[in-house]
Amino acid sequence: MPGEIATYLLGAQGGIEDDYPRLYAATHPVLLRYLRVTTDADPAELALDAWAPALLQLKVCPADEDAWLELVVGSAREAAAGSLRSDGVTSSTGFARTDPDDVDRAIEALR
């Protein structure tokens, strides 16, 4: 139903307890779809990691479906990037991190 996320968001911001699980149920599948497409990591685990920072921003998020989804998907993107970093992969290159001493030795060898 169009607008349901905005309705649940507004309710959750107003303290309506029933709207928290409704907001989750309407938003969580979006997160899972996003993460399935953008990362090889476990989407369910990353989605759960995305909820804590998103909920911290709940009160200040505009009561707008697009704004909420941008916030939650942004949190998911950060969770995925954090997962890559913890696996020894940088999100900007996709390559495993290199020990700084190895880099220094390689630079010296090129001089």
Side-chain angles (χ1 to χ4, degrees):
M1 169 165 89
E4 73 178 352
I5 290 177
T7 300
Y8 301 147
L9 175 60
L10 188 59
Q13 289 172 329
I16 299 173
E17 288 186 30
D18 289 344
D19 281 341
Y20 286 99
R22 291 177 181 141
L23 181 61
Y24 176 86
T27 306
H28 196 68
V30 175
L31 284 177
L32 292 176
R33 284 191 300 272
Y34 170 78
L35 291 165
R36 281 187 191 114
V37 171
T38 60
T39 183
D40 292 332
D42 179 16
E45 185 177 319
L46 290 175
L48 291 175
D49 291 343
W51 274 102
L55 290 175
L56 290 173
Q57 298 293 317
L58 178 78
K59 294 282 187 186
V60 297
C61 182
D64 171 82
E65 184 168 327
D66 289 338
W68 174 249
L69 290 175
E70 287 174 16
L71 177 84
V72 176
V73 167
S75 292
R77 185 174 39 251
E78 289 297 316
S83 172
L84 287 174
R85 285 190 295 272
S86 69
D87 289 345
V89 177
T90 62
S91 59
S92 62
T93 64
F95 296 109
R97 288 188 180 178
T98 305
D99 181 39
D101 291 336
D102 292 341
V103 173
D104 290 342
R105 284 190 289 276
I107 291 170
E108 284 302 314
L110 292 171
R111 288 187 180 169

